Amino acid sequence: MNLDLFDEAASHQPPRTEQIGPQTFVLRAFALPFIDDLLPPLRAVLKAAPFRRMVTPGGQNMSVALSNCGPLGWTTDARGYRYTGVDPQTGLPWPGLPQSFLRLAAAAAAQAGFVDFRADACLINRYVPGARMSLHQDRDERDFDAPIVSVSLGLPAMFQMGGLQRSDRALRVPLLHGDVMVWGGVDRLRFHGVLPLKEGHHPVMGPQRINFTLRKAG
Ligand code: MD6
Ligand code: FE
């Protein structure tokens, strides 16, 4: 029995690749064939390291709640942004990175032309209606050669993909349940953000959007 083919056929949404920059790709529905292997480990990770809202170095409470899994996890507090090996809330190592996350990340990266992507960090974001992410660059990782793979689950979001300057005009990209974005190379430091999440109820994920991004941070 080939569950992957079955899921694709059942969803009437074959994966489609949209290129929105020289090295930025939106892989539509790419995560759907993996979904049954993603959700149980995701639940286990969140049980060990629950979502929490963090404070930016500027003193703002983030509207997005976050958690991490993998050898390194991204955190922020009054002292700054950084990757740490332990959850500051428990002092314990972050939960392990599920194999299914790593498999999905490597497959998506390869589809976008990045061979041998091995993530060592996974940042998990939860958006409830109204939550947003202002324009930022991802620059806390040690090297910018590896791409970032970003998986969207649940309610639709409007992603903003800007340029290398904060003032560059941003393209709006709707991201739906199962969509995967991959970017790297010359696009690695593009500014990006997420507009306030609209109210809604997703049949699988409920009244929220969960986004997880796989990175090579160390
Ligand atoms: C989000 N994502 O989609 C926020 N960063 O909820 C990000 O900030 C992000 O999706 C780097 C690469 C991909 C992303
Ligand atoms: Fe980001």
Side-chain angles (χ1 to χ4, degrees):
M1 184 166 55
N2 189 322
L3 288 171
D4 292 6
L5 289 175
F6 175 78
D7 281 352
E8 263 177 48
S11 70
H12 301 289
Q13 285 283 17
R16 288 158 284 134
T17 300
E18 294 170 18
Q19 186 167 7
I20 61 166
Q23 291 183 280
T24 306
F25 298 84
V26 183
L27 311 179
R28 296 293 182 192
F30 193 89
L32 292 184
F34 295 79
I35 206 88
D36 290 348
D37 295 330
L38 297 177
L39 296 184
L42 177 62
R43 266 182 227 113
V45 164
L46 293 172
K47 196 166 176 194
F51 282 123
R52 77 292 302 269
R53 286 177 65 189
M54 290 187 177
V55 178
T56 66
Q60 302 277 354
N61 233 313
M62 293 182 71
S63 60
V64 171
L66 63 83
S67 183
N68 290 279
C69 56
L72 291 169
W74 186 88
T75 65
T76 173
D77 61 19
R79 286 155 48 215
Y81 305 123
R82 63 194 167 280
Y83 281 94
T84 62
V86 298
D87 179 346
Q89 202 157 282
T90 60
L92 298 172
W94 296 104
L97 230 168
Q99 287 297 327
S100 58
F101 287 29
L102 292 169
R103 277 198 302 273
L104 168 60
Q111 180 76 21
F114 299 97
V115 295
D116 280 339
F117 176 53
R118 274 188 277 268
D120 62 9
C122 178
L123 168 62
I124 309 168
N125 292 315
R126 179 179 64 188
Y127 296 71
V128 294
R132 59 190 287 272
M133 179 87 72
S134 54
L135 282 181
H136 65 278
Q137 292 171 298
D138 286 24
R139 50 186 321 146
D140 301 315
E141 300 74 26
R142 185 162 297 158
D143 82 72
F144 299 140
D145 290 341
I148 295 181
V149 173
S150 162
V151 180
S152 292
L153 299 174
L155 289 177
M158 193 60 84
F159 191 84
Q160 299 175 287
M161 176 53 96
L164 294 174
Q165 310 290 330
R166 188 181 289 276
S167 56
D168 288 344
R169 203 188 141 76
L171 181 73
R172 289 184 174 192
V173 184
L175 292 179
L176 308 182
H177 182 69
D179 289 347
V180 177
M181 269 188 64
V182 184
W183 63 14
V186 299
D187 288 332
R188 181 62 178 70
L189 290 177
R190 285 174 74 171
F191 279 87
H192 57 281
V194 178
L195 294 179
L197 197 78
K198 294 213 163 87
E199 296 279 348
H201 187 91
H202 187 270
V204 178
M205 304 301 293
Q208 61 177 347
R209 169 178 186 255
I210 291 181
N211 167 263
F212 57 90
T213 54
L214 292 124
R215 303 130 184 265
K216 189 170 169 352

